[in-house]
Amino acid sequence: MTSTLLRGRTLSFLRWPETVDDHSAWRYEDDGGLLLRDGRIVAAGAYAEVEKKADEGVKKIDHRPHLLLPGFIDAHAHFPQMQVIASYGAELLDWLNTYTFPEETKFQNAQHGRRIARLFLDEMVRHGTTTVAAYCSVHRESAEAFFAESHDRNMLNVAGKVMMDRNAPEGVLDTPQSAYDDSKALIAEWHGKGRQHYAITPRFAITSSPEQLEMAGALCREHPDLHMQTHLSENHAEIAFTLQLYPQAHDYTDVYEQYGLLGRKSLFGHCIHLSEREADALSDTGSVAVFCPTSNLFLGSGLFDYQRYRTREKALRIAAATDVGGGTNYSMLRTMDEGYKAIALNGEKLNPFQSFWQLTRGNAEALSIVERIGTLDQGSDADIVVLDARATPAMRLRMETADTLAEELFLLQTLGDDRAVREVYVAGRAMKCDLGLNVAMK
Ligand SMILES: [Zn+2]
C-alpha cells in the first residue's frame, strides 16, 4: 500500500465566504500537508502534523510555493463539441443547426467517440478540472466511449447519452423508446462502476417530444438517485419556440415540471431569462441553475443574475460551468474571469474567495457530491489541483505587488489558464506527470 505526502500551501472551503475577511469560511495552511492513500486524502493540515502520520516508505512531493486546492468541477459541458468550439456568428438555435447537430452525427462512429472522449478528458485534466458533468451525443456509443475513458482514468464524472427525438437531423435522433432503452442499458452498465455517475440527459424541450419527456420523467422516478441534466431559458427565440411546442405550459420551467424533472439532482444549464415564478419553482424543488458565462457571452444569450439568484428570498442553488463548445474555454479559471465580468454587468461583484468556493466546494454541493469531492478534508477523494500564480512572465510581474491570498487568487482567475496548472491528482494519481499532459497533444 503506497502512500503519497504532498507539501504546499493548501486551501479548502468550509462554506460560502461572505467577504474576503471571512476567514472561518476556509482552511488555509501556509505550510500544508496532504497524505494520500488508496485514492483518498487520509490526513490534512499543517505539514509537520501530517508528516507524523505518514509511514516509512511514503513518497514525498514538495509543491511549495504553489497552491493546492480541490480539483475544479465543471457542471456542464458537451464532450462531442471539441470541433464546434470557436464557430463563428450564430445565436443558439442557428448555432445548433449549423454547427452542432452536423458535428454530433459523427459520434455514431464509436472510434470517433473514443478519440474525442480521450482528448476531452485530457483537456479537462490539463486545465485542472477533475470532475465534469458532460453531455454525450444521442448515440449510445458516445456515452460508452466517454465512460470507458473516464473509468480508465479513475475520474469521478457525471455523464449521459442525450435524448432527442425531433427538430434535428436524422443522424442525431432517437425515439422515446430507444432513448429509454439505451439510457437504461447505460445506467446498468456504468452508474456506480468505479467513480462513474449516470445523468438522465434530455437535451432540451425543443428536441424532445412530450412522449420522450414522459420517458425522461419515468427514468427519474425509477432512478431517484441519478442526476438529470438539461437546458433551460438560454435565449428568447428558444423560449418562444418551446412555448409554441408546449402550449399548455405556463412557462418554460413548467414544461420540465410537468414531466417531473425538477429536483435536487436536476441541473439546468443557463437559466438566464427566468420569471420570478420559474425561479421560485427551481428554488422550491432544490433544482440547480448552472451559470455558463463564456457561452452566454459568446452566443449573446444574456447575463445570468448570479447575485440576485443567490440572495433572493427563495434562493437558487447555483453551479458554474464552461458549456464547451458554446463556451469558449476549457478552463474554469477563464470561466470565472468571464463570470466576474457578467456579474459586474449586473452591478455586482464576486470576490475571489467566492469564486474559488464556487469552482470547488460550491460546485460539489450543487452536484450533491460534496461528501466525496470539492474539499481537501480527511476522507475526501484525492482530486487535487496545484496552481502556480507565477506561471507566465506577466503573472510573475504582477505577483510582485500581490500581498494577500485574495489578491493571488484574483490574479490566478484573471490572468491564469492551463499554464497555471502545475499538476493535477485524480484519485491520488499525478495525471500531468503520468499522462505526459504537459506535452503538446499528438
Ligand atoms: Zn449546453
Side-chain angles (χ1 to χ4, degrees), residues 317-388:
R317 299 173 70 212
I318 297 173
T322 62
D323 191 29
V324 163
T328 51
N329 205 290
Y330 294 88
S331 166
M332 289 305 291
L333 295 172
R334 306 291 344 108
T335 298
M336 291 314 289
D337 179 43
E338 295 300 301
Y340 177 85
K341 296 171 194 171
I343 292 165
L345 284 166
N346 278 324
E348 303 277 354
K349 290 287 184 281
L350 191 69
N351 83 49
F353 286 105
Q354 294 166 343
S355 264
F356 281 80
W357 170 87
Q358 183 71 70
L359 296 182
T360 57
R361 186 183 185 110
N363 272 1
E365 285 180 358
L367 265 59
S368 303
I369 38 179
V370 74
E371 74 287 354
R372 293 262 46 84
I373 60 168
T375 75
L376 300 178
D377 294 350
Q378 185 179 324
S380 229
D381 292 355
D383 291 350
I384 298 155
V385 60
V386 181
L387 296 175
D388 177 4

Coordinates of all heavy atoms in Angstrom, one line a residue, residues 317-388:
R317 N -30.0 27.3 -5.9 CA -28.7 26.6 -5.8 C -28.0 26.8 -7.2 O -28.6 26.7 -8.2 CB -28.9 25.1 -5.6 CG -29.6 24.8 -4.2 CD -29.9 23.3 -4.1 NE -28.7 22.5 -4.0 CZ -28.6 21.3 -4.4 NH1 -29.6 20.7 -5.1 NH2 -27.5 20.6 -4.2
I318 N -26.7 27.2 -7.1 CA -26.0 27.6 -8.4 C -24.7 26.8 -8.5 O -24.0 26.5 -7.6 CB -25.7 29.1 -8.3 CG1 -26.9 30.0 -8.2 CG2 -24.8 29.5 -9.5 CD1 -26.7 31.4 -8.0
A319 N -24.5 26.4 -9.8 CA -23.2 25.8 -10.2 C -22.6 26.6 -11.3 O -23.3 27.5 -11.9 CB -23.4 24.4 -10.6
A320 N -21.3 26.4 -11.5 CA -20.7 27.2 -12.6 C -20.1 26.1 -13.6 O -19.7 25.1 -13.2 CB -19.6 28.1 -12.1
A321 N -20.0 26.6 -14.9 CA -19.6 25.6 -15.9 C -19.0 26.3 -17.1 O -19.3 27.4 -17.4 CB -20.8 24.7 -16.3
T322 N -18.3 25.5 -17.9 CA -17.7 26.0 -19.2 C -18.8 26.0 -20.3 O -18.7 26.8 -21.2 CB -16.6 25.2 -19.7 OG1 -17.0 23.8 -19.9 CG2 -15.4 25.1 -18.6
D323 N -19.6 25.0 -20.4 CA -20.5 24.8 -21.5 C -19.7 24.7 -22.8 O -20.2 25.2 -23.9 CB -21.6 25.8 -21.6 CG -22.7 25.4 -22.7 OD1 -22.9 24.2 -22.9 OD2 -23.3 26.3 -23.3
V324 N -18.5 24.1 -22.8 CA -17.9 23.8 -24.1 C -18.8 22.9 -24.9 O -19.5 22.1 -24.4 CB -16.6 23.0 -23.8 CG1 -16.1 22.2 -25.0 CG2 -15.5 23.9 -23.2
G325 N -19.0 23.1 -26.3 CA -18.4 24.1 -27.1 C -19.2 25.4 -27.3 O -18.7 26.2 -28.1
G326 N -20.3 25.7 -26.7 CA -20.9 27.0 -26.8 C -20.0 27.9 -26.0 O -19.8 29.1 -26.3
G327 N -19.4 27.4 -24.9 CA -18.4 28.1 -24.1 C -17.1 28.1 -24.9 O -16.9 27.3 -25.8
T328 N -16.3 29.0 -24.5 CA -15.1 29.3 -25.3 C -13.8 28.8 -24.7 O -12.7 29.1 -25.3 CB -15.0 30.8 -25.7 OG1 -15.1 31.5 -24.5 CG2 -16.1 31.2 -26.6
N329 N -13.8 28.2 -23.6 CA -12.6 27.8 -22.9 C -12.8 26.6 -22.0 O -13.9 26.5 -21.4 CB -12.0 29.0 -22.1 CG -10.5 28.8 -22.0 OD1 -10.0 28.0 -21.3 ND2 -9.7 29.7 -22.7
Y330 N -11.8 25.7 -22.0 CA -11.9 24.5 -21.1 C -11.6 24.9 -19.6 O -11.8 24.1 -18.8 CB -11.0 23.5 -21.6 CG -11.4 22.9 -22.9 CD1 -10.9 23.5 -24.1 CD2 -12.2 21.8 -23.0 CE1 -11.3 23.0 -25.4 CE2 -12.6 21.3 -24.3 CZ -12.1 21.9 -25.4 OH -12.5 21.4 -26.6
S331 N -11.0 26.1 -19.4 CA -10.5 26.4 -18.1 C -11.6 27.0 -17.2 O -12.3 28.0 -17.6 CB -9.4 27.5 -18.3 OG -9.1 28.0 -17.1
M332 N -11.7 26.5 -16.0 CA -12.6 27.1 -15.0 C -12.1 28.4 -14.5 O -12.9 29.2 -14.0 CB -12.9 26.1 -13.9 CG -13.7 24.9 -14.3 SD -15.3 25.3 -15.0 CE -16.2 26.0 -13.6
L333 N -10.8 28.6 -14.6 CA -10.2 29.9 -14.2 C -10.7 31.0 -15.2 O -11.2 32.1 -14.9 CB -8.7 29.9 -14.2 CG -8.0 29.1 -13.2 CD1 -6.5 29.0 -13.4 CD2 -8.3 29.5 -11.8
R334 N -10.6 30.7 -16.5 CA -11.1 31.6 -17.5 C -12.6 31.8 -17.4 O -13.2 32.8 -17.6 CB -10.8 31.1 -19.0 CG -9.4 30.7 -19.3 CD -8.4 31.9 -19.4 NE -9.0 33.2 -19.5 CZ -9.0 34.1 -18.5 NH1 -8.4 33.8 -17.4 NH2 -9.5 35.3 -18.7
T335 N -13.3 30.7 -17.1 CA -14.8 30.7 -16.9 C -15.2 31.7 -15.8 O -16.1 32.5 -16.0 CB -15.3 29.3 -16.6 OG1 -15.0 28.5 -17.7 CG2 -16.8 29.3 -16.3
M336 N -14.5 31.7 -14.6 CA -14.8 32.5 -13.5 C -14.4 34.0 -13.8 O -15.0 34.9 -13.3 CB -14.3 32.0 -12.2 CG -15.0 30.7 -11.7 SD -16.8 30.7 -11.8 CE -17.2 31.9 -10.5
D337 N -13.3 34.1 -14.6 CA -13.0 35.5 -15.1 C -14.1 36.1 -15.8 O -14.5 37.3 -15.6 CB -11.7 35.4 -15.9 CG -11.2 36.8 -16.4 OD1 -11.3 37.8 -15.5 OD2 -10.9 37.0 -17.5
E338 N -14.7 35.4 -16.8 CA -15.8 35.9 -17.6 C -17.0 36.0 -16.7 O -17.9 36.9 -16.9 CB -16.1 35.0 -18.8 CG -15.0 34.9 -19.8 CD -14.7 36.3 -20.4 OE1 -15.6 36.9 -21.0 OE2 -13.5 36.8 -20.3
G339 N -17.2 35.1 -15.7 CA -18.3 35.1 -14.8 C -18.2 36.4 -14.0 O -19.3 37.1 -13.8
Y340 N -17.0 36.8 -13.5 CA -16.9 38.0 -12.8 C -17.4 39.2 -13.6 O -18.1 40.1 -13.1 CB -15.4 38.2 -12.5 CG -15.0 39.5 -11.8 CD1 -15.1 39.6 -10.4 CD2 -14.6 40.6 -12.5 CE1 -14.8 40.8 -9.7 CE2 -14.3 41.8 -11.8 CZ -14.4 41.8 -10.5 OH -14.1 43.0 -9.8
K341 N -17.1 39.2 -14.9 CA -17.5 40.3 -15.8 C -19.0 40.3 -16.0 O -19.6 41.4 -16.0 CB -16.8 40.2 -17.1 CG -15.2 40.4 -17.0 CD -14.6 40.0 -18.3 CE -13.1 39.8 -18.2 NZ -12.5 39.3 -19.4
A342 N -19.6 39.1 -16.2 CA -21.0 39.0 -16.4 C -21.7 39.6 -15.1 O -22.7 40.3 -15.2 CB -21.5 37.6 -16.7
I343 N -21.2 39.2 -14.0 CA -21.8 39.6 -12.7 C -21.6 41.1 -12.5 O -22.5 41.9 -12.1 CB -21.2 38.8 -11.5 CG1 -21.7 37.4 -11.6 CG2 -21.6 39.4 -10.2 CD1 -20.9 36.4 -10.7
A344 N -20.5 41.6 -12.9 CA -20.2 43.1 -12.9 C -21.2 43.9 -13.7 O -21.6 45.0 -13.4 CB -18.8 43.4 -13.3
L345 N -21.5 43.3 -14.9 CA -22.5 44.0 -15.8 C -23.9 44.1 -15.1 O -24.7 44.9 -15.5 CB -22.6 43.3 -17.1 CG -21.4 43.6 -18.1 CD1 -21.4 42.7 -19.2 CD2 -21.4 45.1 -18.6
N346 N -24.1 43.2 -14.2 CA -25.4 43.3 -13.4 C -25.2 44.1 -12.1 O -26.0 44.1 -11.2 CB -25.9 41.9 -13.0 CG -26.6 41.2 -14.1 OD1 -27.4 41.8 -14.8 ND2 -26.5 39.9 -14.2
G347 N -24.1 44.8 -12.1 CA -23.8 45.8 -11.0 C -23.4 45.2 -9.7 O -23.5 45.8 -8.6
E348 N -22.9 43.9 -9.7 CA -22.4 43.2 -8.5 C -21.0 42.8 -8.7 O -20.4 42.9 -9.7 CB -23.3 42.0 -8.3 CG -24.8 42.2 -8.2 CD -25.2 42.7 -6.8 OE1 -24.4 42.7 -5.9 OE2 -26.4 43.0 -6.7
K349 N -20.4 42.3 -7.6 CA -19.1 41.7 -7.6 C -19.1 40.4 -7.0 O -19.9 40.0 -6.2 CB -18.1 42.6 -6.8 CG -17.8 44.0 -7.5 CD -16.9 43.9 -8.7 CE -16.6 45.2 -9.3 NZ -17.7 45.8 -10.2
L350 N -18.1 39.5 -7.5 CA -17.9 38.2 -6.9 C -16.5 38.2 -6.3 O -15.5 38.4 -7.1 CB -18.1 37.1 -7.9 CG -18.2 35.7 -7.4 CD1 -19.5 35.5 -6.6 CD2 -18.1 34.7 -8.5
N351 N -16.3 38.1 -5.0 CA -14.9 38.2 -4.5 C -14.2 36.9 -4.8 O -14.8 35.9 -5.0 CB -14.9 38.7 -3.1 CG -15.1 37.6 -2.0 OD1 -14.5 36.6 -2.1 ND2 -16.0 37.9 -1.1
P352 N -12.8 37.0 -4.8 CA -12.0 35.8 -5.3 C -12.3 34.6 -4.4 O -12.2 33.4 -4.9 CB -10.6 36.3 -5.2 CG -10.6 37.6 -4.6 CD -12.0 38.2 -4.6
F353 N -12.5 34.7 -3.1 CA -12.8 33.5 -2.3 C -14.1 32.9 -2.7 O -14.2 31.6 -2.8 CB -12.8 33.9 -0.8 CG -11.4 34.1 -0.3 CD1 -11.0 35.4 0.0 CD2 -10.6 33.1 0.0 CE1 -9.8 35.7 0.5 CE2 -9.3 33.3 0.5 CZ -8.9 34.6 0.8
Q354 N -15.1 33.7 -3.0 CA -16.4 33.2 -3.5 C -16.2 32.4 -4.8 O -16.8 31.4 -5.0 CB -17.4 34.3 -3.7 CG -17.7 35.0 -2.3 CD -18.5 36.3 -2.5 OE1 -18.4 37.0 -3.5 NE2 -19.1 36.8 -1.4
S355 N -15.4 33.0 -5.7 CA -15.1 32.3 -7.0 C -14.5 30.9 -6.8 O -14.9 30.0 -7.4 CB -14.1 33.1 -7.8 OG -14.7 33.9 -8.7
F356 N -13.5 30.9 -6.0 CA -12.8 29.6 -5.8 C -13.6 28.6 -4.9 O -13.5 27.4 -5.1 CB -11.4 29.8 -5.2 CG -10.4 30.2 -6.3 CD1 -10.3 31.5 -6.7 CD2 -9.6 29.2 -6.9 CE1 -9.5 31.9 -7.8 CE2 -8.7 29.6 -7.9 CZ -8.7 30.9 -8.4
W357 N -14.5 29.2 -4.1 CA -15.5 28.3 -3.4 C -16.4 27.7 -4.5 O -16.7 26.5 -4.5 CB -16.4 29.1 -2.4 CG -17.5 28.4 -1.9 CD1 -17.6 27.6 -0.8 CD2 -18.9 28.4 -2.5 NE1 -18.9 27.1 -0.6 CE2 -19.7 27.6 -1.6 CE3 -19.5 29.0 -3.6 CZ2 -21.0 27.3 -1.9 CZ3 -20.8 28.8 -3.8 CH2 -21.6 27.9 -3.0
Q358 N -16.9 28.5 -5.4 CA -17.8 28.0 -6.4 C -17.2 26.9 -7.3 O -17.8 25.9 -7.6 CB -18.2 29.2 -7.4 CG -19.2 28.8 -8.4 CD -20.6 28.5 -7.9 OE1 -21.3 29.4 -7.4 NE2 -21.0 27.2 -7.9
L359 N -15.9 27.1 -7.7 CA -15.2 26.1 -8.5 C -15.0 24.8 -7.9 O -14.7 23.8 -8.5 CB -13.8 26.6 -8.9 CG -13.7 27.9 -9.7 CD1 -12.3 28.2 -10.0 CD2 -14.5 27.6 -11.0
T360 N -15.0 24.8 -6.5 CA -14.6 23.6 -5.8 C -15.8 23.1 -4.9 O -16.7 22.4 -5.5 CB -13.4 23.8 -4.9 OG1 -13.6 25.0 -4.0 CG2 -12.2 24.2 -5.8
R361 N -15.9 23.5 -3.7 CA -16.9 23.1 -2.8 C -18.3 23.5 -3.3 O -19.3 22.7 -3.3 CB -16.7 23.6 -1.4 CG -17.7 23.1 -0.4 CD -17.7 23.6 1.0 NE -18.6 22.9 1.7 CZ -18.3 22.0 2.7 NH1 -17.0 21.8 3.0 NH2 -19.2 21.3 3.3
G362 N -18.5 24.7 -3.9 CA -19.8 25.1 -4.3 C -20.3 24.2 -5.4 O -21.5 23.8 -5.4
N363 N -19.5 23.9 -6.4 CA -20.0 23.0 -7.4 C -20.2 21.6 -6.9 O -21.1 20.9 -7.4 CB -19.0 23.0 -8.6 CG -19.3 24.1 -9.6 OD1 -20.3 24.9 -9.4 ND2 -18.6 24.2 -10.7
A364 N -19.4 21.2 -6.0 CA -19.6 19.8 -5.4 C -20.9 19.8 -4.6 O -21.7 18.8 -4.7 CB -18.5 19.5 -4.5
E365 N -21.3 20.9 -3.9 CA -22.6 20.9 -3.2 C -23.7 20.9 -4.2 O -24.7 20.2 -4.0 CB -22.6 22.2 -2.3 CG -21.8 22.0 -1.1 CD -21.9 23.3 -0.2 OE1 -22.6 24.3 -0.5 OE2 -21.2 23.3 0.9
A366 N -23.5 21.7 -5.3 CA -24.6 21.8 -6.3 C -24.8 20.4 -6.9 O -26.0 20.1 -7.3 CB -24.3 22.9 -7.3
L367 N -23.8 19.7 -7.1 CA -23.9 18.3 -7.7 C -24.2 17.3 -6.7 O -24.3 16.1 -7.0 CB -22.6 18.0 -8.5 CG -22.6 18.3 -10.0 CD1 -22.8 19.7 -10.3 CD2 -21.3 17.8 -10.6
S368 N -24.4 17.7 -5.4 CA -24.7 16.7 -4.3 C -23.7 15.6 -4.2 O -24.0 14.5 -3.9 CB -26.1 16.1 -4.5 OG -27.1 17.1 -4.6
I369 N -22.4 16.0 -4.4 CA -21.3 15.0 -4.2 C -20.2 15.6 -3.3 O -19.1 15.1 -3.4 CB -20.7 14.5 -5.5 CG1 -20.6 15.6 -6.6 CG2 -21.5 13.3 -6.1 CD1 -20.0 15.2 -7.9
V370 N -20.6 16.5 -2.4 CA -19.5 17.1 -1.6 C -19.0 16.2 -0.6 O -17.9 16.4 0.0 CB -20.1 18.4 -0.9 CG1 -21.0 18.1 0.2 CG2 -18.9 19.3 -0.5
E371 N -19.7 15.1 -0.3 CA -19.1 14.1 0.6 C -17.9 13.4 0.0 O -17.1 12.7 0.7 CB -20.2 13.1 1.1 CG -20.6 12.0 0.2 CD -21.5 12.6 -0.9 OE1 -21.9 13.7 -0.9 OE2 -21.8 11.8 -1.8
R372 N -17.7 13.5 -1.3 CA -16.6 12.8 -2.0 C -15.6 13.7 -2.5 O -14.4 13.5 -2.5 CB -17.1 11.9 -3.2 CG -18.0 10.7 -2.8 CD -17.2 9.4 -2.8 NE -15.9 9.6 -2.1 CZ -15.7 9.5 -0.8 NH1 -16.7 9.2 0.0 NH2 -14.5 9.6 -0.2
I373 N -16.0 14.9 -3.1 CA -15.1 15.8 -3.8 C -15.4 17.2 -3.4 O -16.4 17.5 -2.8 CB -15.1 15.6 -5.3 CG1 -16.6 15.9 -5.9 CG2 -14.7 14.2 -5.8 CD1 -16.7 16.1 -7.4
G374 N -14.5 18.1 -3.9 CA -14.7 19.6 -3.7 C -14.0 20.2 -2.4 O -14.1 21.4 -2.2
T375 N -13.4 19.3 -1.6 CA -12.7 19.8 -0.4 C -11.4 19.0 -0.3 O -11.2 18.0 -1.0 CB -13.5 19.6 0.9 OG1 -13.4 18.2 1.3 CG2 -14.9 20.1 0.8
L376 N -10.5 19.5 0.6 CA -9.3 18.7 0.9 C -9.5 18.1 2.3 O -8.5 17.8 3.0 CB -8.1 19.7 0.9 CG -7.8 20.4 -0.4 CD1 -6.6 21.3 -0.2 CD2 -7.5 19.4 -1.5
D377 N -10.7 17.8 2.7 CA -11.0 17.2 4.0 C -10.5 15.8 4.1 O -10.5 15.1 3.1 CB -12.5 17.2 4.3 CG -13.0 18.6 4.5 OD1 -12.2 19.6 4.5 OD2 -14.3 18.8 4.5
Q378 N -10.1 15.4 5.3 CA -9.8 14.0 5.5 C -10.9 13.1 5.1 O -12.1 13.4 5.5 CB -9.4 13.8 7.0 CG -8.9 12.4 7.3 CD -8.6 12.3 8.8 OE1 -8.2 13.3 9.4 NE2 -8.9 11.2 9.4
G379 N -10.7 12.1 4.3 CA -11.8 11.2 3.9 C -12.2 11.5 2.5 O -12.9 10.7 1.8
S380 N -11.9 12.7 2.0 CA -12.3 13.1 0.6 C -11.5 12.3 -0.4 O -10.4 11.9 -0.1 CB -12.0 14.6 0.5 OG -13.1 15.2 -0.1
D381 N -12.0 12.2 -1.6 CA -11.3 11.6 -2.7 C -10.1 12.6 -3.0 O -10.2 13.8 -2.9 CB -12.1 11.5 -4.0 CG -13.2 10.4 -3.8 OD1 -13.2 9.7 -2.7 OD2 -14.0 10.2 -4.7
A382 N -9.0 12.0 -3.4 CA -7.7 12.8 -3.6 C -7.7 13.4 -5.0 O -6.9 13.0 -5.8 CB -6.5 12.0 -3.3
D383 N -8.6 14.3 -5.3 CA -8.7 15.0 -6.6 C -8.2 16.4 -6.2 O -8.9 17.2 -5.5 CB -10.1 15.1 -7.1 CG -10.6 13.8 -7.6 OD1 -9.8 12.8 -7.7 OD2 -11.8 13.7 -7.9
I384 N -7.0 16.8 -6.7 CA -6.3 18.0 -6.3 C -5.7 18.7 -7.5 O -5.2 18.1 -8.4 CB -5.2 17.6 -5.3 CG1 -5.8 16.9 -4.0 CG2 -4.3 18.8 -4.9 CD1 -4.8 16.0 -3.3
V385 N -5.7 20.0 -7.4 CA -5.1 20.8 -8.5 C -4.0 21.6 -7.8 O -4.1 22.2 -6.7 CB -6.1 21.7 -9.3 CG1 -6.8 22.7 -8.4 CG2 -5.4 22.4 -10.4
V386 N -2.8 21.7 -8.5 CA -1.7 22.5 -8.0 C -1.6 23.8 -8.9 O -1.3 23.6 -10.1 CB -0.4 21.7 -8.0 CG1 0.8 22.5 -7.5 CG2 -0.6 20.4 -7.3
L387 N -1.7 24.9 -8.3 CA -1.7 26.2 -9.1 C -0.5 27.1 -8.8 O -0.1 27.2 -7.7 CB -3.0 27.0 -8.7 CG -4.3 26.3 -9.0 CD1 -5.5 27.2 -8.5 CD2 -4.5 26.1 -10.6
D388 N 0.0 27.6 -9.9 CA 1.2 28.4 -9.9 C 0.8 29.8 -10.3 O 0.6 30.1 -11.5 CB 2.3 27.8 -10.8 CG 3.5 28.7 -10.9 OD1 3.6 29.7 -10.2 OD2 4.4 28.3 -11.7

